[in-house]
Amino acid sequence: MREEGGTLGRGVRAGLLMACVPGIPWAALALGVALVEFLRGGNTELAARDVRYGVLLTGGSLLAGALMGLVLAGGLALASRVLTRRWGLTLTGALLGALVFPAEFLVVAVGTDGAVAQLGTTFLARPFMTAVAAAHSTDTVGRTGRRAWLWASGPAREQRPTPVTDSP
């Protein structure tokens, strides 16, 4: 059971990476624009709207990332019971990553009022974030330990990954 808790934590960390890389820059931009509007003595309604967008994008990206990570961890944990090869888990991670990424697209759509540039850039990030999910899938289920940032520090660090066989 302790291994599955580790899988859950690693999955959430990977999901947060997948959601926050495309979403948080837009939140920072919105908050920066709000600061400029406020400091230069511009329209405070626009500044308040931009602060709201920044908060929506930040909170939404964190929530979407946590949900994406839960789906990734759960799907990969189930798949790891059947799949023993690394490429099978990598393909499963890629498929799950592609399926859960629209949650972040929805957050950006809501947080930017459907701004075309932000939505287009977020849409173009989907293949890269799918590749991130695929690349981290074996670490997420605990089969390899190549990405140290996914592994928790402290007592949970004593868990060692179980090896994946590449031979038939």
Side-chain angles (χ1 to χ4, degrees):
M1 185 64 125
R2 184 173 173 155
E3 164 117 10
E4 290 178 16
T7 299
L8 183 64
R10 290 186 298 270
V12 169
R13 284 190 281 282
L16 286 172
L17 173 71
M18 290 177 57
C20 291
V21 165
I24 296 298
W26 299 126
L29 181 64
L31 293 173
V33 168
L35 182 65
V36 168
E37 287 174 353
F38 181 75
L39 289 178
R40 99 173 177 193
N43 190 345
T44 55
E45 288 180 23
L46 288 176
R49 184 194 69 184
D50 288 335
V51 168
R52 187 178 74 239
Y53 288 162
V55 170
L56 275 171
L57 286 165
T58 302
S61 290
L62 291 172
L63 180 62
L67 291 174
M68 290 163 64
L70 290 173
V71 171
L72 278 170
L76 287 169
L78 289 174
S80 70
R81 295 176 187 255
V82 178
L83 303 172
T84 58
R85 299 205 177 185
R86 194 173 294 165
W87 63 267
L89 289 172
T90 302
L91 285 175
T92 304
L95 177 65
L96 288 170
L99 290 175
V100 298
F101 190 73
E104 180 59 22
F105 188 79
L106 180 65
V107 167
V108 172
V110 170
T112 62
D113 277 344
V116 176
Q118 287 87 342
L119 288 176
T121 306
T122 304
F123 181 75
L124 291 175
R126 185 177 187 176
F128 297 105
M129 295 301 114
T130 299
V132 165
H136 293 81
S137 60
T138 55
D139 273 317
T140 300
V141 294
R143 298 281 178 96
T144 60
R146 290 180 290 179
R147 289 165 183 85
W149 68 272
L150 278 176
W151 292 86
S153 60
R157 184 75 170 153
E158 296 169 5
Q159 294 178 354
R160 291 291 167 224
T162 56
V164 175
T165 59
D166 279 334
S167 60

